[in-house]
Amino acid sequence: MKIYTAHPGHHIEGLARRDAERPPLGPRDVRVRMRAVTLNYRDLMVVSGNYGLGSDPVVPVSDGAGEVIAVGDDVQRFAVGDRVMGSFFPDWTEGEPDAWKTKAALGGSRPGVLAEEVVLDQDAWVRTPAHLNFAEAAALPCAGVTAWNALFESGPWRPGERVLLLGTGGVSIWALQLAHAGGLETVITSSSDAKLERARALGADHVVNYLSHPEWDRKVLEATRGEGVHRVVEVGGKGTLPRSVTTLRPGGALALVGGFAGFDGAIGPMSLMIGAKRAFGVFVGSRKMLEDLARFVEARALRPVVDTTFDFDDARAAYAHLESGRHFGKVAVAVG
Amino acid sequence: MKIYTAHPGHHIEGLARRDAERPPLGPRDVRVRMRAVTLNYRDLMVVSGNYGLGSDPVVPVSDGAGEVIAVGDDVQRFAVGDRVMGSFFPDWTEGEPDAWKTKAALGGSRPGVLAEEVVLDQDAWVRTPAHLNFAEAAALPCAGVTAWNALFESGPWRPGERVLLLGTGGVSIWALQLAHAGGLETVITSSSDAKLERARALGADHVVNYLSHPEWDRKVLEATRGEGVHRVVEVGGKGTLPRSVTTLRPGGALALVGGFAGFDGAIGPMSLMIGAKRAFGVFVGSRKMLEDLARFVEARALRPVVDTTFDFDDARAAYAHLESGRHFGKVAVAVG
Amino acid sequence: MKIYTAHPGHHIEGLARRDAERPPLGPRDVRVRMRAVTLNYRDLMVVSGNYGLGSDPVVPVSDGAGEVIAVGDDVQRFAVGDRVMGSFFPDWTEGEPDAWKTKAALGGSRPGVLAEEVVLDQDAWVRTPAHLNFAEAAALPCAGVTAWNALFESGPWRPGERVLLLGTGGVSIWALQLAHAGGLETVITSSSDAKLERARALGADHVVNYLSHPEWDRKVLEATRGEGVHRVVEVGGKGTLPRSVTTLRPGGALALVGGFAGFDGAIGPMSLMIGAKRAFGVFVGSRKMLEDLARFVEARALRPVVDTTFDFDDARAAYAHLESGRHFGKVAVAVG
Amino acid sequence: MKIYTAHPGHHIEGLARRDAERPPLGPRDVRVRMRAVTLNYRDLMVVSGNYGLGSDPVVPVSDGAGEVIAVGDDVQRFAVGDRVMGSFFPDWTEGEPDAWKTKAALGGSRPGVLAEEVVLDQDAWVRTPAHLNFAEAAALPCAGVTAWNALFESGPWRPGERVLLLGTGGVSIWALQLAHAGGLETVITSSSDAKLERARALGADHVVNYLSHPEWDRKVLEATRGEGVHRVVEVGGKGTLPRSVTTLRPGGALALVGGFAGFDGAIGPMSLMIGAKRAFGVFVGSRKMLEDLARFVEARALRPVVDTTFDFDDARAAYAHLESGRHFGKVAVAVG
């Protein structure tokens, strides 16, 4: 079978397509013929050598969807023909994270899904929403679950609350769609008016161009009657943290997601203390969150925004497109 | 000013329009010129003498909206001209209920809002959503808050979960609209296919005619892939309780709201124990819930369904219409 | 190896000690030499044929502790020599219950632990608290987890709240110890002043003899300054349900645990609705709850109350002692 | 009556005892003859001019207890003779904080309690636990509520979890007592072995001298079997923040309380993201929290640690003692 390997520190040029042995199938394993994967900023960090992996080549990419082609003797959850997605942390089925559950991560400490076939324990797979194609379904495991976790899993919330989304990358656009469908009032920022128009079409209630308004936190406060937002999905970027905290109303929450630009600066403890605000790290999420996300996506017939789908042979071009920042939503690669 | 009084035990015929003194205005009080009220089954119970009040006449009805025409010297929350709704329990501002907070209830132990003017402490009023007329706004305090409380306040929930609504009365239709806008998958029952069609237009994902399907719990299970619903808003009725519990998935919740028909029968403890199900009483709700509901209604531009608005002089006809069960949504009375 | 079998419908006399083959060891399995088990009312229901099992003999009892004597090749969580307890539902590791997780139960739909050796997946075992002997550790899986779940897992609570415990059986005494160590104010009932004195020594703040005070709900209200309790651990019995609901303050919760006598009667929905009370079924609990309980028991050096430990040969006497109701706390059987 | 005034920027020397008019009594007001107050680091910040108040003299101190000597005509919650404590934010009765609720704070934007008589709305007072003297009761409103809020109000927790407390100031010692009585496993740090011994007597399970062990985070990890703690009550100090985050287990929480030394440095967002940790500001708390704390303190007969009680004439000496850092627990001033 064909796979890709990434060589940490060798950048996009280090991505190589090669032949590999089919992995063996244990009694609880499920073998999946991958049909599509999607990329995350983390995949750029892996090839650039900034993800804390060693220097050996790895099979990259965490997010993929495909079709079950074989199951082990003890497998009860799936059958041949099922359409499935892999879970980012294959050992984190549900509940709070711990060191044990988050040790293995696809496309990192464990081989990824940029390969024709992938074998994982039955507990690491989830059925895809019926109305999605494979590229769309491949958008759920990391970016979708991260957005879900940032919005709905950390602390109580109520429909009608206000949430701020920064930029139009994969997690932010997912968060926009989920927040809108979940009854939240949304504010989103971008440097592009064109992208803001697209965001409005996806349900954004308020849009702010942070190039035209470098003090965008003030615009967010204006848009929310001076009250501020209940939650920010903070994907990083230059100088965003203090402004994000400023936009929070008392008791508001900062979901720390990270992203392409990394975080710039740190969180002043007094800025959280006054107003009883909070910040929490979002470490992707569990299989249970992926299942809950899939149910919601299906119930509301949400379609993740896939910017472009590249051919399997053009995986490097897909990485380069993601790196360019020109995308809106997810960048995908079809597998075979 | 004109008011109505209800005479417990004297039924709808006991409703009398009369003149009354304008109530005095204390330093923290807000005087409101009522513009519309809406009726609840509770208002029928009051006139029929089944609500546990004494035999003296009372000013009936809990749910009204109008315009502020005067404020006391210490009032900071409102100004003349504000459009406001009264809160069902004027002393329950927020948090869990207690005996103290729920002692006073409008149109029950405290004079109600079927009157040209109503005076209450500033803490008992909430601004109306800007896009609603007075009759629509008057639909929020009891029926809207009850639906909100049943869906969103009691225990954790996630968008994409499934909820069952029984019938098409005021609370059920509110719950349908709120659940749909909050990202829940909805099932609703009725004895009328015409009403079910209207419910579908309001966002019902599945509809069940309980006349055609007396074992409607089975249809609900079918509609939910055999899994059952996460929550039932149980408004009472003949023999509904055991079927409602049956439709719940493990860990599911039964919101006990009560209603016209009252509850028939009781909840078997073993039926809750197996599957770790739960039941909880919904006792209308706090002013904070009314505020949160109003924010959600405004953020999503929801419009409560008002079946008919009767003239102030025809309040008895409004009561009779509610009693007939022919309505879909709320029955309102315009005040002056 | 030696095992016991129970014959549903043949009562205690149907319990038979016999020889059996040692179960095989799969790659993820852990083999445990049992050292002690404890009994629950459920075990009496199994022998009496009232537990919904078929008529074939089963290896009874859910709660046991012992020593690891062998592990499969893929086992990472345990090593030979570890002291462990089995989890009641071997497939429910954490999170909310579902039909899948609660299908298998030890000593019911799956062979139990009244046997010299037991083999289960590594995910079904938990380390025992270091300070407990095997009989004490064997008290945790069903009775301990049930008490834990009833007190700490269902809805928010705060130290200083008040909880009512009914009688002095295994779950109630566990709940008394856990509630006291967790900072709750406790009220407990019994028909025996001697047992109430023992309960007081274990931390009961208030005691009520329900024989001397048939209207014991009034005494509970008196003991709580007329305010009522925040939670009742309701283990069933003649006529207890309505009185239990009466003792609840507004917003209070009834944990339905069931027990020897079964429940008598049902829960009136209006009694929950007024005061926004709630009732929830406690279906034992997950492995995660057993782990959390074990950590708490160890952190506070709690010792479960073991009434009597019978020899393996005298298992029938142990069942008979439980049935007599003369015990205080748990009835145990040493295994070899 | 006698009062003290503090002159922001004039330090302890600026504290002046003077005569003042008795405040008037409105219809909802309660007049209290103060009997004792306790000091917080905030009170040092006020006199040093670092609390953001203007330059005008203010009546200082937020925490006091005394006896009701008069009530307004509409007061229902209290009667003459009741022993009460004032709530830090007199307008924050319960629920989440907002700008409105936290605008007024005693001894800051509103006159404080270092005075013979204090008049506040009935909603701003709470009964003292019956077993406490006035100096002990005066320890609850700010330091006690802060510790309570940090431990029990922000996010779910379970008995048996582990909590780290830094130093032996008022909040940390309160947190130690509350955590121990609530079933938590406690670790506490100090630079003094003598203070650590006193902490052990109050229930500390593990103690760490941070002078002997400058890498005290390692000792905390060792004490918790390498797993880390579930929660840190972070009262500030030189270089504590990164070490506090290191001691947290995945999903753990950092309660930001602030204190004498202020915070040094900031929180790195990646240190929260990896491991899904969280940080939240603790902004004292509501009257409801003070009531819940008082109930817990009474139920468990907890006695706050009062280091020294100074005479009313010696208020300056009390401030100086707090500033010296030699205290263990609270510094009090008797009023008349």
Side-chain angles (χ1 to χ4, degrees), chain B residues 27-28 76-77 92-96 100-101 103 121-123 288, chain D residues 27-28 76-77 92-96 100-101 103 121-123 288:
Chain B
R28 291 167 49 105
Q76 294 173 293
R77 291 168 40 92
W92 183 8
T93 53
E94 70 179 303
E96 295 164 40
W100 175 275
K101 293 173 177 178
K103 199 171 51 176
D121 188 280
Q122 63 173 347
D123 280 342
K288 172 69 159 49
Chain D
R28 290 168 49 105
Q76 295 173 294
R77 291 167 41 90
W92 183 8
T93 52
E94 70 178 301
E96 296 164 40
W100 174 275
K101 293 173 176 177
K103 199 171 53 177
D121 187 279
Q122 64 174 345
D123 280 343
K288 172 72 158 50

Side-chain angles (χ1 to χ4, degrees), chain D residues 44 62 90 137:
Chain D
L44 293 174
S62 57

Side-chain angles (χ1 to χ4, degrees), chain D residues 61-256:
Chain D
V61 182
S62 57
D63 295 10
E67 208 174 332
V68 173
I69 54 173
V71 299
D73 290 342
D74 294 347
V75 167
Q76 295 173 294
R77 291 167 41 90
F78 297 102
V80 169
D82 285 348
R83 293 154 53 100
V84 296
M85 315 166 279
S87 181
F88 186 88
F89 291 118
D91 296 329
W92 183 8
T93 52
E94 70 178 301
E96 296 164 40
D98 62 27
W100 174 275
K101 293 173 176 177
T102 56
K103 199 171 53 177
L106 300 183
S109 53
R110 181 87 57 97
V113 297
L114 192 50
E116 286 183 333
E117 291 186 19
V118 174
V119 171
L120 294 170
D121 187 279
Q122 64 174 345
D123 280 343
W125 298 102
V126 170
R127 277 186 184 71
T128 66
H131 66 297
L132 298 187
N133 62 38
F134 285 115
E136 290 165 333
L140 274 76
C142 177
V145 166
T146 296
W148 169 273
N149 192 352
L151 291 171
F152 301 129
E153 294 283 341
S154 301
W157 64 279
R158 290 177 175 82
E161 290 186 349
R162 297 175 294 268
V163 62
L164 171 62
L165 313 167
L166 300 182
T168 55
V171 171
S172 295
I173 292 300
W174 254 124
L176 173 62
Q177 294 180 283
L178 297 176
H180 182 69
L184 297 170
E185 186 177 335
T186 52
V187 191
I188 194 165
T189 67
S190 174
S191 60
S192 150
D193 285 340
K195 287 184 172 177
L196 290 174
E197 276 318 296
R198 293 187 65 186
R200 217 186 260 283
L202 289 169
D205 295 301
H206 313 279
V207 300
V208 177
N209 187 316
Y210 64 81
L211 273 192
S212 328
H213 302 283
E215 296 188 325
W216 50 265
D217 44 339
R218 292 202 187 173
K219 300 300 288 182
V220 174
L221 287 171
E222 280 172 28
T224 56
R225 297 168 290 284
E227 293 174 9
V229 298
H230 295 76
R231 194 167 287 227
V232 178
V233 180
E234 169 60 89
V235 293
K238 192 165 173 47
T240 58
L241 278 172
R243 293 189 193 280
S244 289
V245 174
T246 300
T247 68
L248 286 174
R249 50 154 285 149
L254 192 66
L256 298 165

Side-chain angles (χ1 to χ4, degrees), chain C residues 77-193:
Chain C
R77 291 168 39 93
F78 297 102
V80 170
D82 285 349
R83 293 155 53 101
V84 295
M85 316 165 278
S87 181
F88 186 89
F89 290 118
D91 296 329
W92 184 8
T93 51
E94 69 179 303
E96 294 164 40
D98 62 27
W100 174 275
K101 292 173 176 179
T102 56
K103 199 171 53 177
L106 300 183
S109 54
R110 181 86 59 94
V113 298
L114 192 50
E116 286 182 333
E117 292 186 18
V118 173
V119 170
L120 293 170
D121 188 280
Q122 65 174 345
D123 280 344
W125 298 102
V126 170
R127 277 183 183 73
T128 65
H131 66 297
L132 298 187
N133 64 36
F134 285 114
E136 289 165 333
L140 273 74
C142 178
V145 167
T146 296
W148 170 273
N149 191 353
L151 291 172
F152 300 129
E153 295 283 341
S154 300
W157 63 280
R158 290 178 175 82
E161 290 184 352
R162 299 174 292 267
V163 61
L164 170 64
L165 313 166
L166 302 182
T168 56
V171 170
S172 296
I173 291 301
W174 254 123
L176 172 63
Q177 294 180 281
L178 297 176
H180 182 70
L184 297 170
E185 186 176 335
T186 52
V187 191
I188 194 165
T189 67
S190 174
S191 60
S192 150
D193 285 341

Side-chain angles (χ1 to χ4, degrees), chain A residues 104-123:
Chain A
L106 299 184
S109 53
R110 182 85 61 95
V113 298
L114 192 50
E116 287 182 334
E117 291 186 17
V118 173
V119 171
L120 293 170
D121 188 279
Q122 65 174 345
D123 280 343

Side-chain angles (χ1 to χ4, degrees), chain D residues 27-66:
Chain D
R28 290 168 49 105
D29 284 337
V30 172
R31 184 187 303 278
V32 172
R33 178 60 171 86
M34 279 290 136
R35 292 299 178 189
V37 309
T38 69
L39 302 184
N40 294 290
Y41 290 127
R42 168 186 183 264
D43 299 311
L44 293 174
M45 294 169 74
V46 166
V47 296
S48 68
N50 299 323
Y51 197 69
L53 303 174
S55 56
D56 289 343
V58 297
V59 182
V61 182
S62 57
D63 295 10

